Amino acid sequence: MKFSSVFAAAAVTGVASADTTTSSEDLRTFSTIEPTASEIALQAENATTLQWSSDVKGKGFSRFFTIWLENTDYDKAADDPNMVELAKQGITLTNYWGVTHPSEPNYLASAGGDYFGLDSDNFSTMPKNVSSIADLLDSKGISWATYQEDMPYSGFQGFNYSNQKTFADDYVRKHHPLVLFDSVTGNSTRLGLLKNFTEFDNDLKAEKLPQYAFITPNMTNDGHDTSVKVAAQWSKDFITPLLSNDYFMNDTLVLLTFDENESYGIQNKVFSILLGGAIPDELKGTSDDTYYDHYSEISSVEAAFGLNHLGRNDVSANVFEVVANATNITNIKVDTTYKLNNESYQGYLNDANQVLLAPNVSATNLAGSSILPAISSVWASEYNAQVSESILTSTTTTVSGNITDVAPETTSSSSASASSSGSASGSASGSSTHSASSNSTGSGSSSSKAGAAVVSTSLVSAFLLLAANLLL
Ligand SMILES: *[C@@H]1O[C@H](CO)[C@@H](O)[C@H](O)[C@H]1NC(C)=O
Ligand SMILES: *[C@@H]1O[C@H](CO)[C@@H](O)[C@H](O)[C@H]1NC(C)=O
Ligand SMILES: *[C@@H]1O[C@H](CO)[C@@H](O)[C@H](O)[C@H]1NC(C)=O
Ligand SMILES: *[C@@H]1O[C@H](CO)[C@@H](O)[C@H](O)[C@H]1NC(C)=O
Ligand SMILES: *[C@@H]1O[C@H](CO)[C@@H](O)[C@H](O)[C@H]1NC(C)=O
Ligand SMILES: *[C@@H]1O[C@H](CO)[C@@H](O)[C@H](O)[C@H]1NC(C)=O
Ligand SMILES: *[C@@H]1O[C@H](CO)[C@@H](O)[C@H](O)[C@H]1NC(C)=O
Ligand SMILES: *[C@@H]1O[C@H](CO)[C@@H](O)[C@H](O)[C@H]1NC(C)=O
Ligand SMILES: *[C@@H]1O[C@H](CO)[C@@H](O)[C@H](O)[C@H]1NC(C)=O
Ligand SMILES: *[C@@H]1O[C@H](CO)[C@@H](O)[C@H](O)[C@H]1NC(C)=O
Ligand SMILES: *[C@@H]1O[C@H](CO)[C@@H](O)[C@H](O)[C@H]1NC(C)=O
Ligand SMILES: *[C@@H]1O[C@H](CO)[C@@H](O)[C@H](O)[C@H]1NC(C)=O
């Protein structure tokens, strides 16, 4: 799809695109939590750690653990000898994408199905009416946890915790998805499930691991402050003993991935490997070129366990083939020719004038499931209000055309508002040209009072783009 026709679609629906720049007074601000080391030591004494395991049978896998490394271009990671070794034991995903830059919005997206416009690593929180994968898992009693290396105690909500001898970066909040949600931190049970690597070792030894976990190594081991060489060595050392642990690997799928690539000017594709007992032996050492992105982590868990969805970009995100095959899901073919995923759209977290997008309460995910009823009951009327306003906004930024043709200062919002997919519509993984909307189909769109753009499903977009082209 041509860039110009995307703009035309926006023009046809008569909506303005977002401002090209965000002035500082428009930034949404949050108070930070930055306790001192001595305050942390005190709090640690009373911290509660919970061990939660369960045994719900899934289709394709019964346990999903993801391990995130940092900031590496696809080719660079693919060349690392330790990555090559690991790849021989699993399936390499050759078309797996980060959703924007920098780090934090990618982590946020993996748990919330959207990054809500976040374009920084700043302290931010999602209000308590925004749900996450934890709510989906809870709905069927599927145990979960996060394991964050060097987090000083379970449930820690501070901005960072450095190595107290060298003061090198260690644990950082921006790499911890579930702590970004008030719906998680406002619940003391959930705080007890945000744990560190000491607790991972304990849970493994006790055979009390959860069925879903998000694992973040410290800033040395994940490559952030070091290199992919360190990250790959750490990964091999961490994963190798697990691969021969029958308890851990039984029907388990492990996704080793990166939050984002390093070169912002190129496609935000990241090297990723699926490992574990859920991978059939004959597929070890093979690759899969299906389009996936961080939203696939949520959609795959939904499909495997037959869960409801979040009404966000998880709805249309492709599911990993082991699950797709086990559930007869047909993944979407995504044209990535003009896809970059390298800039955040203008939204709630980077602009105080933008409303919080409603999830699409009427969507059905690739597995045929509907939204979690508890989300619908909070958001249905706001969703309908946003749909009827039909104001264009967007989620994953996919700049059309050659990025070098567009000045960096101005690509952001013009391209974001014109060529992206909708949060309320949940159509992130689709083509690079979702935009514009109409209420007539009742499909997802959402609004922002600041007057940016509307979102909708690919079908609606495609229809409007067609209309736009006919009118021209
Ligand atoms: C820890 O809990 C004890 C007992 O409830 C209480 O007296 C103490 O003040 C708490 N410490 C902190 C740092 O909250
Ligand atoms: C991030 O936070 C810093 C300091 O609080 C602030 O100056 C900056 O404008 C923020 N950036 C964004 C994009 O919110
Ligand atoms: C990990 O968390 C536990 C539980 O709060 C705490 O006792 C322990 O000291 C932490 N470990 C590290 C290495 O910070
Ligand atoms: C957080 O990071 C800052 C800057 O690196 C550092 O000075 C501070 O000691 C860290 N806080 C803790 C609790 O480690
Ligand atoms: C990160 O963890 C490793 C052990 O896994 C440790 O050797 C290293 O010192 C830690 N990094 C920092 C900055 O403390
Ligand atoms: C608190 O979290 C637990 C575990 O995730 C969940 O079962 C419970 O329903 C939550 N409570 C509320 C009030 O959300
Ligand atoms: C794997 O889990 C299944 C049930 O999900 C159980 O029947 C089987 O014994 C387990 N195998 C191992 C090696 O733990
Ligand atoms: C899924 O099924 C297809 C078609 O039978 C097969 O080629 C592929 O290897 C399967 N993938 C997995 C991960 O089982
Ligand atoms: C998938 O489709 C095949 C053939 O149509 C059928 O035999 C199988 O039961 C289906 N599996 C599921 C999980 O629906
Ligand atoms: C969700 O919470 C935000 C922040 O508190 C609020 O502005 C918004 O109106 C709420 N929306 C719904 C549907 O509850
Ligand atoms: C993008 O534009 C640059 C500079 O005009 C050009 O060198 C490059 O070949 C173009 N790339 C593609 C894929 O069109
Ligand atoms: C928009 O669609 C929703 C959902 O189908 C409906 O409830 C609402 O009344 C419609 N609004 C308008 C203005 O047509």
Side-chain angles (χ1 to χ4, degrees):
M1 197 71 61
K2 287 268 165 43
F3 203 34
S4 56
S5 60
V6 177
F7 272 114
V12 161
T13 55
V15 292
S17 65
D19 286 347
T20 27
T21 52
T22 306
S23 62
S24 55
E25 61 266 25
D26 288 331
L27 287 176
R28 192 175 292 279
T29 53
F30 296 89
S31 52
T32 64
I33 302 175
E34 292 183 75
T36 62
S38 54
E39 285 162 346
I40 291 170
L42 267 180
Q43 295 296 331
E45 286 175 24
N46 284 0
T48 304
T49 301
L50 295 177
Q51 231 169 22
W52 181 22
S53 60
S54 54
D55 196 13
V56 179
K57 182 89 187 115
K59 290 178 180 164
F61 60 73
S62 298
R63 178 183 284 131
F64 179 74
F65 275 27
T66 186
I67 305 170
W68 279 37
L69 307 173
E70 276 283 309
N71 305 359
T72 306
D73 290 348
Y74 185 100
D75 293 343
K76 207 168 163 189
D79 280 348
D80 184 278
N82 285 310
M83 285 297 182
V84 170
E85 274 307 301
L86 283 172
K88 286 181 189 156
Q89 298 168 73
I91 300 174
T92 301
L93 304 180
T94 52
N95 196 10
Y96 183 106
W97 293 63
V99 296
T100 183
H101 293 299
S103 292
E104 187 174 354
N106 284 291
Y107 288 81
L108 177 61
S110 75
D114 199 346
Y115 56 80
F116 306 94
L118 186 61
D119 59 358
S120 78
D121 287 330
N122 277 5
F123 197 104
S124 42
T125 58
M126 293 312 300
K128 68 176 187 306
N129 57 16
V130 175
S131 298
S132 72
I133 192 169
D135 298 288
L136 302 179
L137 292 163
D138 273 357
S139 72
K140 284 212 174 167
I142 297 160
S143 50
W144 56 266
T146 66
Y147 295 109
Q148 308 286 309
E149 187 169 24
D150 290 321
M151 189 169 71
Y153 60 85
S154 303
F156 176 65
Q157 294 175 55
F159 194 55
N160 66 287
Y161 187 71
S162 300
N163 180 310
Q164 296 300 308
K165 291 198 186 82
T166 62
F167 291 95
D169 288 333
D170 230 349
Y171 165 83
V172 287
R173 177 188 168 96
K174 65 177 177 173
H175 292 173
H176 187 182
L178 284 171
V179 83
L180 304 172
F181 292 82
D182 288 349
S183 55
V184 172
T185 57
N187 176 324
S188 60
T189 305
R190 291 176 169 190
L191 285 178
L193 299 170
L194 309 182
K195 303 186 266 191
N196 59 28
F197 276 21
T198 315
E199 299 304 329
F200 175 78
D201 292 340
N202 290 342
D203 294 351
L204 177 65
K205 217 169 289 161
E207 303 201 346
K208 291 278 184 206
L209 287 171
Q211 292 189 263
Y212 167 91
F214 193 100
I215 298 184
T216 309
N218 70 26
M219 295 278 274
T220 307
N221 292 332
D222 71 4
H224 185 280
D225 290 351
T226 50
S227 63
V228 69
K229 190 166 182 290
V230 172
Q233 180 71 55
W234 175 84
S235 300
K236 196 180 139 199
D237 293 348
F238 184 78
I239 292 169
T240 300
L242 294 174
L243 282 173
S244 58
N245 180 322
D246 288 341
Y247 163 71
F248 182 85
M249 279 303 159
N250 192 11
D251 210 16
T252 292
L253 188 69
V254 175
L255 169 69
L256 178 68
T257 189
F258 292 81
D259 66 333
E260 57 177 335
N261 76 350
E262 189 176 26
S263 307
Y264 283 24
I266 63 173
Q267 295 192 318
N268 193 3
K269 217 160 52 154
V270 289
F271 185 74
S272 306
I273 311 172
L274 292 174
L275 296 145
I279 307 281
D281 280 340
E282 68 273 17
L283 292 181
K284 289 180 181 162
T286 65
S287 64
D288 174 3
D289 197 39
T290 308
Y291 177 91
Y292 302 111
D293 58 28
H294 294 321
Y295 301 124
S296 300
E297 297 185 21
I298 308 175
S299 64
S300 298
V301 168
E302 289 167 2
F305 293 113
L307 305 177
N308 294 111
H309 62 72
L310 295 172
R312 301 198 182 271
N313 296 300
D314 54 319
V315 167
S316 57
N318 282 341
V319 305
F320 299 128
E321 212 176 57
V322 283
V323 179
N325 283 6
T327 53
N328 287 350
I329 287 175
T330 306
N331 278 321
I332 299 165
K333 245 186 130 45
V334 177
D335 180 359
T336 58
T337 314
Y338 298 114
K339 202 171 182 57
L340 286 171
N341 282 9
N342 66 349
E343 288 179 276
S344 293
Y345 73 96
Q346 197 86 4
Y348 178 80
L349 286 178
N350 63 358
D351 184 343
N353 298 315
Q354 304 272 339
V355 295
L356 191 47
L357 294 187
N360 185 342
V361 301
S362 61
T364 300
N365 70 7
L366 292 189
S369 299
S370 56
I371 195 164
L372 188 70
I375 300 176
S376 185
S377 67
V378 172
W379 283 97
S381 66
E382 175 67 10
Y383 170 73
N384 288 331
Q386 292 189 5
V387 166
S388 64
E389 282 182 45
S390 291
I391 305 168
L392 187 62
T393 186
S394 52
T395 36
T396 309
T397 301
T398 47
V399 179
S400 293
N402 187 335
I403 191 174
T404 58
D405 295 344
V406 192
E409 291 309 310
T410 54
T411 31
S412 172
S413 45
S414 52
S415 55
S417 58
S419 60
S420 302
S421 69
S423 167
S425 72
S427 56
S429 60
S431 78
S432 60
T433 52
H434 309 284
S435 68
S437 132
S438 117
N439 197 31
S440 55
T441 63
S443 75
S445 73
S446 53
S447 75
S448 84
K449 305 276 198 274
V454 171
V455 272
S456 74
T457 64
S458 351
L459 279 178
V460 176
S461 304
F463 171 77
L464 286 167
L465 287 167
L466 192 65
N469 284 329
L470 288 175
L471 284 173
L472 284 176

